[in-house]
Amino acid sequence: MSKSSPDITIFLRCLYGGGAERILLNLARCFAEQELKVDMVLARAEGSLLKQLPPEIRLIDLKAQSKLGIIPKLVQYLRLEKPTSMLAALHYPCEIALLAKRIAGVSTRVVVSERNNLSLEAKRIPQLSVRLTPLAARLLYPWADGIIGISQGVSDDLANVTRLPLERIDTIYNPILTPEVFAKAKAPVNHPWFQPGEPPVIIAVGRLYPQKDYPTLLRAFAQVRQVQPSRLVILGEGPEKDNIKNLIYELGLQEDVAMLGFVDNPHAYMANSAVFVLSSAWEGFGNVVAEALAVGTPVVSTNCDSGPSEILADGKYGELTPVGEPKAMAQAILKVLAGDNKQVDSDWLNQFTLEYGAEKYLKVLGIPIKKRLEVKV
């Protein structure tokens, strides 16, 4: 390890291809372009995104084998390297970062970024560790030098859970729009359903988890198909795959629903679809909603806590439907397929760009901006 202290350390468990990991990797790149010294500290150096880590960002592999094993290794790193600031994201890394700073006794400014609605997750997910996250946040988050919520809904929930004043929490929308998103959206899609003259394609992108409530989407699509020929494409992997497939057969939709799993370039599929649909029961932000808007695809989303209504400006830029109501979702999809689309101002999309978000993160991290970042959609 080098003798000069890092300006910013980003701490995560690994670099698998989740939305949070992609965002933190993009932020790390952006920080490095500011001529800042950036460390990417991982509990274990694993994941498909590792190969995207640029050489100017130093990778620190803690090689921890358990959650408890991470803490002493991170304490050792903090005492040796003494970074100016450390940014942790996802709930367990946030807790670990706060505990490690406390034990290490260093002056490093620790900022935690909460990615989801903690109280809703605790109610909906039976796993004990998830049910205890609100209590852990209440105990540990007061130690943070900065707290970030990725939507106003997440920030409001976090203030309620932690009993901290809302003024202590900064809301920064996920900086997900990058030049790569727009470049990838222009790529062709090699699937017969996206050829000229085919029925319109409805697309959904997201992990196959209960949170995403794909049954509501499938039941809505069944109603849409009774009115208008159309097809549904689902991109994503997850433990609900078999249950979703069973429901597709139960509803007799197997000829018009394609589950394509993980794809390298979902943005091309989005850009070539007639409508994007998010059927989630809850969200932290809803990256895919902003991405669909950015590539010019009309959006239908549940009005779930938290994020989609903020991205869609309370329905100004897309259709919002109640959670778990297939009929309302079907009506909204049919409205879009009939050509009733809402135009999105490019200025509105700027707040979801990497450059805009990176400047806000640097401010919370207490790092001066060396050169102004140009925000452009």
Side-chain angles (χ1 to χ4, degrees), residues 244-266:
I244 293 168
K245 279 187 172 181
N246 290 340
L247 184 57
I248 289 170
Y249 277 89
E250 182 183 319
L251 295 171
L253 302 175
Q254 58 268 29
E255 297 300 320
D256 292 314
V257 179
M259 297 179 67
L260 302 184
F262 174 84
V263 299
D264 287 330
N265 183 7

Side-chain angles (χ1 to χ4, degrees), residues 24-36 38 57 354-356 358-359 362 371 373:
L24 270 292
L25 180 58
N26 284 336
L27 282 171
R29 286 198 198 107
C30 206
F31 296 157
E33 289 170 5
Q34 285 276 305
E35 300 173 359
L36 296 167
V38 182
I57 296 172
L354 177 59
E355 296 80 8
Y356 186 93
E359 287 200 357
L362 287 171
K371 52 184 178 181
L373 297 169

Side-chain angles (χ1 to χ4, degrees), residues 4 20 40 60 75 94 116 194 220 240 276-277 315 337:
S4 60
M40 179 68 73
I60 306 295
V75 168
C94 291
N116 222 325
F194 291 88
E240 287 292 296
F276 174 87
V277 181
L337 292 178

Side-chain angles (χ1 to χ4, degrees), residues 12 21 36 76 82 131 135 140 146 162 164 179 187 190 222 266 283 294 354 368:
L12 292 166
E21 290 89 346
L36 296 167
Q76 182 183 25
K82 298 180 175 62
R131 290 193 177 277
L135 175 60
L140 299 177
T162 60
L164 292 169
N190 185 23
E283 283 287 342
L354 177 59

Side-chain angles (χ1 to χ4, degrees), residues 142-162:
W143 296 351
D145 298 291
I147 304 172
I148 294 170
I150 61 170
S151 67
Q152 190 59 55
V154 166
S155 296
D156 291 343
D157 177 69
L158 199 52
N160 184 55
V161 163
T162 60

Side-chain angles (χ1 to χ4, degrees), residues 131-185:
R131 290 193 177 277
L132 292 175
T133 52
L135 175 60
R138 184 177 303 165
L139 292 172
L140 299 177
Y141 279 24
W143 296 351
D145 298 291
I147 304 172
I148 294 170
I150 61 170
S151 67
Q152 190 59 55
V154 166
S155 296
D156 291 343
D157 177 69
L158 199 52
N160 184 55
V161 163
T162 60
R163 299 175 183 170
L164 292 169
L166 188 59
E167 295 73 29
R168 276 207 58 189
I169 303 169
D170 289 275
T171 299
I172 306 177
Y173 290 143
N174 274 343
I176 48 142
L177 301 186
T178 64
E180 290 80 10
V181 168
F182 298 100
K184 288 181 176 181

